Amino acid sequence: MKKKFSFLLFIVLLNNLFGQESNYAKITYKAVYNEPSEVSESLKKLRTENQQYVKDFLESFKKIEFKLLYTKNESLFEVVEDIESTDDMHRKIAIIQISENKIRYVNNLTKQKMVQLEFMGNKFNVPQKFENYNWEITKDTTTINGLMCYKATTTKQIAGIGEFTGKNLLVTAWFTPSIPVSFGPNGFDGLPGLILSVSYGSIQLNASDINLDYKTSKKIEKPKGGIDIKDDKEMTEIMFKKYKELNSEKN
């Protein structure tokens, strides 16, 4: 009887060792659209004439959710709803505007970052600089989801090519040292605490749910498949070239 009990205990321990769930955290973010104060009068008039369209777009914007999954050393950020699974054009446009329909992967051990995006029916893998942002941490504080957060600012460069020059966007993030990981939503990271809110341009992403004990048997993995691209500049060149080809075909 004693030997049988010892054997059963061994099996339980073995199952716990090899079948245990990964120690994950899952943060859900929701988007907010903040209209810039410097909107032109012509654009304001156009939006007034198309009030229902604008209303539908903003409603779709608010319903879109993103998830950040992370362990101690890896993270994956993506939209919860697959863009191809919805027929709502407002939602599709909003998803693209917020995240450019990208899956973002980070590995702190290998110092690796990449995004995978779909464009014209193809998937592309684009490596990113590991230390992407030069943050300036301020003394300003606020409370988000009951957690003390500190304000940090930086700039994000928008890619440009040819006659289309890039520009810098001001980025404002609120991070909490109470969760001491360097991850954040939509590629914004590198702070001494999890980013719970970030705004850039007219877009703001806010953590709506924080689950620091998320149970799953899956592993965070670098997105597979796709065409490997050297950097964002090459990806921008591919996109502009395709747009020009489409315009030529129409004319």
Side-chain angles (χ1 to χ4, degrees):
M1 183 70 179
K2 191 174 182 179
K3 287 184 178 180
K4 185 177 180 181
F5 176 77
S6 299
F7 178 75
L8 290 174
L9 181 61
F10 172 75
I11 294 296
V12 170
L13 292 173
L14 197 65
N15 286 335
N16 286 339
L17 180 63
F18 293 101
Q20 64 184 349
E21 296 169 324
S22 299
N23 185 21
Y24 274 28
K26 177 185 176 183
I27 315 299
T28 303
Y29 293 87
K30 288 190 175 181
V32 176
Y33 183 84
N34 298 314
E35 181 160 304
S37 57
E38 64 277 5
V39 175
S40 66
E41 290 301 320
S42 58
L43 186 54
K44 287 180 181 178
K45 181 179 179 181
L46 179 63
R47 289 181 178 177
T48 301
E49 293 171 348
N50 297 273
Q51 286 184 1
Q52 188 58 48
Y53 177 87
V54 174
K55 182 180 178 180
D56 292 342
F57 172 76
L58 294 179
E59 283 300 312
S60 295
F61 209 95
K62 290 188 293 185
K63 294 175 183 176
I64 297 170
E65 291 185 340
F66 297 86
K67 64 181 177 181
L68 173 68
L69 295 179
Y70 70 83
T71 59
K72 181 180 179 181
N73 296 306
E74 292 180 283
S75 73
L76 196 69
F77 179 83
E78 60 185 334
V79 65
V80 172
E81 178 183 19
D82 183 1
I83 192 172
E84 299 301 329
S85 68
T86 177
D87 294 326
D88 188 338
M89 187 55 63
H90 296 103
R91 294 178 74 82
K92 287 180 184 258
I93 294 173
I95 290 171
I96 293 172
Q97 183 173 352
I98 299 169
S99 69
E100 299 169 315
N101 199 28
K102 293 177 179 178
I103 299 173
R104 297 180 178 272
Y105 171 79
V106 178
N107 189 318
N108 286 339
L109 285 179
T110 60
K111 304 294 182 185
Q112 184 180 29
K113 285 184 183 180
M114 70 159 285
V115 299
Q116 184 178 84
L117 72 153
E118 291 191 34
F119 178 70
M120 297 296 184
N122 292 311
K123 290 183 178 180
F124 295 90
N125 304 320
V126 189
Q128 306 288 291
K129 292 180 181 178
F130 186 75
E131 295 181 354
N132 229 2
Y133 301 105
N134 183 23
W135 292 102
E136 180 180 343
I137 299 174
T138 74
K139 295 180 180 179
D140 297 340
T141 62
T142 191
T143 301
I144 300 176
N145 289 51
L147 297 170
M148 176 68 77
C149 295
Y150 289 83
K151 180 181 177 181
T153 60
T154 188
T155 56
K156 173 183 173 67
Q157 186 173 33
I158 306 300
I161 187 172
E163 66 271 28
F164 301 97
T165 57
K167 62 178 181 178
N168 287 327
L169 283 180
L170 174 66
V171 179
T172 301
W174 294 91
F175 71 95
T176 177
S178 300
I179 306 178
V181 296
S182 61
F183 303 123
N186 212 19
F188 297 106
D189 53 25
L191 284 165
L194 179 69
I195 297 175
L196 296 184
S197 178
V198 64
S199 58
Y200 50 103
S202 57
I203 298 169
Q204 184 174 343
L205 296 174
N206 300 318
S208 59
D209 184 71
I210 300 173
N211 186 345
L212 300 180
D213 189 27
Y214 181 62
K215 303 299 183 183
T216 178
S217 58
K218 296 181 180 179
K219 289 184 177 180
I220 291 178
E221 295 180 326
K222 185 169 70 170
K224 298 178 180 179
I227 302 168
D228 292 330
I229 298 298
K230 186 174 72 172
D231 52 26
D232 285 326
K233 182 179 179 181
E234 183 178 356
M235 188 69 238
T236 303
E237 290 172 350
I238 290 172
M239 295 173 77
F240 270 91
K241 181 179 179 181
K242 190 63 180 178
Y243 286 139
K244 286 183 178 179
E245 289 175 357
L246 291 175
N247 287 330
S248 297
E249 291 175 3
K250 289 179 180 178
N251 297 331

